[in-house]
Amino acid sequence: MTRRSTPEPATPDDGTAHAAPAHLSARAVRIEYRAPGASASDVTLAVDNANLELRQGDFVCVVGPSGCGKTTFLNAVAGFLPIQGGTLELDGRAIPGPGPDRAMVFQQPSLLPWRTVQDNVTYGLELGRTMKKARARERAGDLLDLVGLTGFGDRHPAQLSGGMQQRVNLARALAVDPELLLLDEPFASIDAQTREVMQAELLRVCTARNVTALFVTHDITEAAFLADRVCVFSPRPGHIVREIEVPFGRPREQRLRRSREFLELVDEIADVLYGGSPVDEFGTGREDEEVH
Ligand SMILES: Nc1ncnc2c1ncn2[C@@H]1O[C@H](COP(=O)(O)OP(=O)(O)OP(=O)(O)O)[C@@H](O)[C@H]1O
Ligand SMILES: [Mg+2]
C-alpha cells in the first residue's frame, strides 16, 4: 500500500511541514491537573509533549487507551483547560479560551429538554446575538435538513431517538459556523447501524462546509472510515506516537468498510494501538507502557 505512516508527527521545524499553514498547531503540549492547594505529588500529568497539526478542512481522528488524555487535549483545544507547557495555536495565535470559532460535540447529546429541536439548534446563535431571529430560524431549518431531520424542528428532545438527538447536537454545533469542530466520542452511545449512517453524514457535512474536525473515538473502524489521518495516542501522559494517513478520498461509501484496503488499514491502526496484542484492549492498566 502507498499509505504514509510516520512514527512521530511532522513538526514545522523538521523540514517536512505541509505547505499550507496550520489551522491548529500543537507543539510539545503539556497539560496537568492539580487540585487547588495540592502538593506537587498530587499532580496528574495527563498530556505530555503532544504534537499535532491540522490544516483547514482536515478530518483527524484520535484513538488511544482509556485515560490517556484525549478528552483533556480536546478540552484544551476548545479553550476549556489551560496548558502548562508547549504551544497550542489556532491560525498562529495562542488559544485564549473558548470561542465561537470552535464547537464541541460530547458523547451525550446534552440538549435542553424544555426547548424544541429548532430552538436547541439556534441556542448558540442566541448566546452570540449575532443573527436576527428569523435568520437564525432559517439557518436552523437548513441545518436540520443537512443532518436528515427535516420536519422535526417543532419536536422536543424527549420525542427523538438517541441517534436523532445526537444529530440535533451536531446541527447545534454547526449552527455557529465553527472553523474547528471538536468531537469527543459523539457516536459511542448510538447503535451500530445508526452510527454508520451518522459517520457518513458527518463526513458529508464537514466536506460540504469545509469544516476542520478533530474527532476522538475508541472505535478504530470509525476512525478509519472518517479520517484523513488517524493519530494514535500513547498511554498517559498522552502524546501522539503515530500518525497514519488514510488513503481514501471523499465521499466515502458504506461499502468501503468491506474492502480489503479498509480492513488492512484497520489492522494497521490496531497493531499500533495494541502493540500487536489484540486481547489487551483499552483501560486494562497498561498506563506505564509505551505503544510502539
Ligand atoms: N478534572 C480532572 N481532575 C483530575 N484528573 C483528571 C481530570 N480529568 C481527567 N483527569 C485525569 O487525566 C487523565 C486523562 O483523562 P482523560 O479524560 O483526558 O482521558 P481519555 O483519554 O479521554 O479517556 P477515555 O478514553 O476513558 O475517555 C486520566 O488519568 C484522568 O484520571
Ligand atoms: Mg475521554
Side-chain angles (χ1 to χ4, degrees):
M1 233 189 279
T2 53
R3 192 166 52 249
R4 189 171 67 82
S5 171
T6 51
E8 286 286 343
T11 63
D13 304 327
D14 65 6
T16 59
H18 299 290
H23 176 45
L24 171 69
S25 166
R27 293 186 215 171
V29 166
R30 176 183 172 95
I31 310 170
E32 302 169 349
Y33 289 103
R34 183 193 296 251
S39 67
S41 60
D42 268 349
V43 170
T44 302
L45 180 57
V47 173
D48 195 23
N49 198 25
N51 293 289
L52 179 66
E53 287 206 348
L54 267 69
R55 285 157 290 145
Q56 185 74 47
D58 275 354
F59 200 121
V60 170
C61 283
V62 171
V63 295
S66 182
C68 74
K70 303 181 297 296
T71 296
T72 301
F73 183 75
L74 220 53
N75 278 328
V77 176
F80 300 148
L81 277 179
I83 61 172
Q84 280 71 45
T87 57
L88 192 52
E89 294 178 345
L90 263 178
D91 295 322
R93 282 192 297 275
I95 290 174
D101 51 349
R102 283 148 289 150
M104 187 112 161
V105 182
F106 300 96
Q107 183 171 343
Q108 296 302 331
S110 69
L111 298 172
L112 300 172
W114 60 89
R115 284 186 158 230
T116 63
V117 162
Q118 177 172 271
D119 290 348
N120 266 284
V121 176
T122 55
Y123 183 66
L125 299 172
E126 290 168 26
L127 289 181
R129 293 200 182 103
T130 51
M131 202 177 275
K132 292 224 162 74
K133 215 168 180 176
R135 174 75 192 101
R137 288 176 77 85
E138 193 185 321
R139 187 180 178 82
D142 290 347
L143 283 165
L144 289 173
D145 291 347
L146 201 66
V147 299
L149 286 176
T150 306
F152 285 91
D154 292 332
R155 304 273 182 101
H156 282 83
Q159 296 172 295
L160 306 183
S161 72
M164 291 162 90
Q165 288 184 32
Q166 196 54 299
R167 284 189 233 184
V168 180
N169 222 23
L170 184 59
R172 184 176 61 178
L174 290 168
V176 293
D177 214 3
E179 286 179 38
L180 180 57
L181 195 54
L182 305 166
L183 307 108
D184 195 1
E185 303 187 50
F187 305 146
S189 55
I190 295 175
D191 70 274
Q193 207 177 340
T194 308
R195 195 184 315 149
E196 291 190 352
V197 173
M198 294 280 301
Q199 288 163 359
E201 260 173 37
L202 175 64
L203 204 51
R204 182 176 56 78
V205 169
C206 287
T207 306
R209 302 173 77 94
N210 197 30
V211 173
T212 313
L214 187 56
F215 187 109
V216 168
T217 178
H218 273 135
D219 181 342
I220 298 176
T221 308
E222 179 167 76
F225 185 78
L226 287 173
D228 301 315
R229 274 179 291 144
V230 177
C231 294
V232 181
F233 257 56
S234 71
R236 187 176 70 81
H239 63 275
I240 294 147
V241 286
R242 188 78 66 91
E243 282 194 12
I244 298 168
E245 293 219 1
V246 175
F248 314 123
R250 303 187 204 167
R252 294 180 188 174
E253 305 289 334
Q254 294 293 359
R255 66 170 179 272
L256 172 68
R257 300 175 198 272
R258 297 190 297 275
S259 71
R260 196 168 57 100
E261 276 204 316
F262 185 82
L263 297 172
E264 281 174 4
L265 174 67
V266 169
D267 259 4
E268 183 181 343
I269 301 166
D271 278 349
V272 177
L273 190 56
Y274 305 137
S277 164
V279 180
D280 196 355
E281 294 215 358
F282 303 115
T284 51
R286 299 174 67 209
E287 289 204 345
D288 52 344
E289 287 180 35
E290 276 286 301
V291 175
H292 293 292

